[in-house]
Every structure is written in structure tokens, then in C-alpha cells.
Amino acid sequence: RAKELGGGRVEVYAAHMHTDVVRRLELGADLQRALAEEQFAVEFQPVVELDTSRVTGVEALVRWWRGSESVPPQDFIRPAEESGLMITLGDWVLRQACRQVARWRAESWQVDLSVNFTARQIAAPRFVESVAQVLEETGLPPQALTVEVTEAVLVEDAGQTVERLSALRELGVRLAIDDFGTGYASLAHLGRLPVDVIKIDPSFVAGLGRDETRTLLTRAIVRLGHDLGLTVVAEGIERPEQLELLRQMNCPRGQGFLVARPMAPGPAESLLRTNLTTVQDTVPDDSGEP
Ligand code: C2E
Ligand code: MG
Ligand code: MG
Ligand code: MG
């Protein structure tokens, strides 16, 4: 009886593994097709100076329009890495985003651009050269580009990550630590890493005014960033109270649905034209068609 049960469990486990593998293979094939059929798009979420609400830059966020539904990056970035497509996809995102922002700057909107990178993207052969090449091709000045990585990417430092990011920084590219405060050993590493920007994780911002510890921690991160001469960006601002508290803490920059959602290039351009980020009615939501 016990043996039967045990056997059954193994079978269930194996079946589960099987569907997992099949799903991953299917997703890999879907992603390949998606690249070929241009189902990917880049959206831009404005980053503002909190004092003035002036847009200082945009963060590029990849979107996969699979039919009429948008698949969240968290559901396809890892599969894209596992199927080896992330390098190609990341390269495409970078090129699209740099081209778009270079155009906006040519219209004399002095916005800068942030792009997210995974450890594997940075470990790709010729990573530094390929970023430099995209900058040259699109005409975006290196100083206008910020590379965003999570703490884990820097701390693990697989494949000479820090060396490569330092090389990019020599070119003038800036470096941001994304989701700051959620990784480990972040403080010990801050002094040794070539960082320009810290982005406070939304979990801190979510607690502002509601959770005393998170409020104090947010204030401490803002001070820390200021004292280290880093630009601090608060992420995930959704409520007016959070915005108010961040302003009181002298947090220089912010990003979040309250300020502006990620949006397609057209709407993002309208927003740059009017700069009306804090007026809710002018901010399109991201549930529309691609
Ligand atoms: P991230 O870099 O931390 O990006 C911020 C995420 O928070 C985005 O989710 C954005 O839509 C979301 N967000 C912004 N404001 C708010 C808010 O007020 N409330 C809430 N609840 N969410 C907000 P998204 O676009 O789903 O991206 C998730 C993650 O996927 C990103 O986190 C980034 O790590 C990764 N990612 C997105 N695009 C790319 C890309 O092109 N390349 C790479 N390597 N990773 C990407
Ligand atoms: Mg980011
Ligand atoms: Mg983040
Ligand atoms: Mg994140």
C-alpha cells in the first residue's frame, strides 16, 4: 500500500516535470516565432523629478503581444534566457529604445533612457561592444543611457559582470541598481561598485505612511543615496500620500502608476509634449491594443 502510494507520487511528480518541460519548449518555440513575427514592443515609463513633476527620462519595458493579450515580462524573460533568445531580444529592445529616445532628444526633449539587463545578457560575448555599437548607430549619447541591473547581478558577479559594466561606464553609460533594498550585502558592495543610480524597490514605497519601518527605511535609503552622491529613484508610486512623503524626504526622482504608466511610443510622446504627468486624465492606461 505504502509502496503503491510512493510510486503514485513519483508518477505525479514526473508528469508534472514533463508538462513543465513541454511548456518550456512550446514557449521557446513561441518566442522564436514572436521575434520573427515582430510581436514584441517596447513601452516607456516616464521617470520624473518629484519636486517639479518634470520628466527626466523613461524606462524601456519590453512587451510581448501574443494575439491580443500582453504577456508579462516575468513570464517570458526566464524562458527567453533558457532558450537562448534573450540576447537577441535584449539587443532588439536596446536598439528600439535608443532609436526612439534619440529621436525625442532631436525634438529637444532632454530625456534619458533606462534599459534593464539580466546577468546572462551582460555575460554575452561582445556585450560591451554591442552596446557601444547600438549607441553609435542610433546617435544616443552614452551619457543618456542608464543600464539597470538588480543587486544580485552585481553581487554574484558571474562572467566578469562588474568589469564589463565598468567598461561601459568608461564610455559614459550610467549604472543603476534596480529593486534596491531587496538583495543581500547591498550596503557592503555599494562603495566598491561603479553605481550612479539606486532605484528603491516598490515594496518600500508601498509601505510609506502605512508601515513605520518601511517608511523609516525609505527615508534612510534616500539619505544614503544623497550622501553617496547617487541619484535616487523611488519606484512603484501609486498613492498621493506616497508621493507627498517622498517629496518631504527630498527623494529626487520617482516612477509609478500615479505619475505615469508604461506606454507605447505615441502616447509617451504626447506626454513629453505636454509634460502633464501628474494629471491622471491625460495618462493612458496600458490595457489598450499594441
Ligand atoms: P523593473 O525593471 O523593476 O520595472 C518596473 C516594473 O514595475 C515594470 O513591470 C512596471 O510596469 C512596473 N511598475 C511601474 N510602476 C508601477 C506601479 O506604480 N505599481 C506597480 N504595481 N507596478 C509598477 P514590467 O514591465 O512587468 O516588468 C517587470 C520586470 O521585467 C522589470 O522590473 C524588469 O526586471 C523586467 N524587464 C522588463 N523589460 C525588460 C527588458 O527589456 N529586458 C530585461 N532584461 N528585463 C526587463
Ligand atoms: Mg528596471
Ligand atoms: Mg525595479
Ligand atoms: Mg523588478
Side-chain angles (χ1 to χ4, degrees):
R1 179 100 182 106
K3 198 181 157 199
E4 259 174 53
L5 273 176
R9 285 221 318 264
V10 168
E11 232 168 72
V12 168
Y13 181 62
H16 164 77
M17 295 254 298
H18 179 252
T19 39
D20 230 46
V21 167
V22 169
R23 199 174 297 137
R24 201 172 309 155
L25 285 174
E26 282 173 0
L27 196 54
D30 275 8
L31 282 164
Q32 194 112 48
R33 201 172 320 122
L35 260 175
E37 294 177 1
E38 298 175 30
Q39 292 172 11
F40 290 102
V42 179
E43 289 196 343
F44 297 92
Q45 184 177 33
V47 177
V48 300
E49 188 174 64
L50 289 180
D51 261 359
T52 59
S53 298
R54 186 180 65 90
V55 177
T56 60
V58 290
E59 177 174 5
L61 296 162
V62 67
R63 297 291 178 256
W64 177 11
W65 288 98
R66 195 189 207 179
S68 60
E69 54 142 21
S70 175
V71 184
Q74 69 204 36
D75 291 352
F76 67 83
I77 289 198
R78 181 170 295 230
E81 291 206 297
E82 284 166 356
S83 56
L85 285 171
M86 194 58 215
I87 311 296
T88 313
L89 177 59
D91 218 61
W92 181 84
V93 168
L94 180 68
R95 187 168 276 106
Q96 291 289 114
C98 288
R99 193 179 291 150
Q100 181 59 75
V101 171
R103 245 182 246 147
W104 284 333
R105 291 171 67 91
E107 300 263 0
S108 79
W109 296 312
Q110 286 310 303
V111 282
D112 51 40
L113 168 68
S114 282
V115 181
N116 297 285
F117 287 86
T118 65
R120 285 209 205 169
Q121 284 181 270
I122 296 163
R126 298 181 42 82
F127 163 74
V128 176
E129 292 86 340
S130 70
V131 173
Q133 194 187 332
V134 170
L135 288 170
E136 201 179 302
E137 274 174 31
T138 60
L140 188 76
Q143 291 75 15
L145 177 67
T146 301
V147 166
E148 293 194 7
V149 298
T150 60
E151 285 167 339
V153 170
L154 291 174
V155 172
E156 285 160 18
D157 195 18
Q160 303 155 337
T161 309
V162 172
E163 241 175 84
R164 285 167 171 227
L165 292 172
S166 302
L168 270 190
R169 207 154 167 275
E170 299 276 292
L171 299 176
V173 172
R174 288 151 55 87
L175 177 63
I177 303 189
D178 208 350
D179 306 342
F180 184 82
T182 57
Y184 52 96
S186 48
L187 293 184
H189 284 79
L190 256 190
R192 296 196 285 112
L193 296 170
V195 174
D196 303 281
V197 180
I198 49 182
K199 300 191 77 171
I200 305 178
D201 190 72
S203 59
F204 294 98
V205 177
L208 280 174
R210 289 185 175 172
D211 173 320
E212 199 188 4
T213 305
R214 298 216 167 247
T215 306
L216 288 170
L217 284 171
T218 305
R219 190 187 306 278
I221 297 172
V222 171
R223 283 220 187 104
L224 176 79
H226 176 266
D227 290 349
L228 290 171
L230 307 175
T231 302
V232 178
V233 182
E235 274 197 287
I237 305 172
E238 294 181 346
R239 291 180 279 118
E241 180 195 22
Q242 296 169 329
L243 181 61
E244 192 45 46
L245 283 167
L246 287 163
R247 280 175 170 153
Q248 280 172 25
M249 292 172 183
N250 290 318
C251 179
R253 290 187 190 177
Q255 189 179 347
F257 291 172
L258 176 72
V259 180
R261 285 182 176 263
M263 50 188 99
E269 184 165 321
S270 312
L271 189 140
L272 287 175
R273 205 178 293 281
T274 57
N275 219 330
L276 286 173
T277 45
T278 49
V279 181
Q280 281 289 284
D281 295 350
T282 66
V283 179
D285 68 33
D286 60 359
S287 62
E289 296 295 307

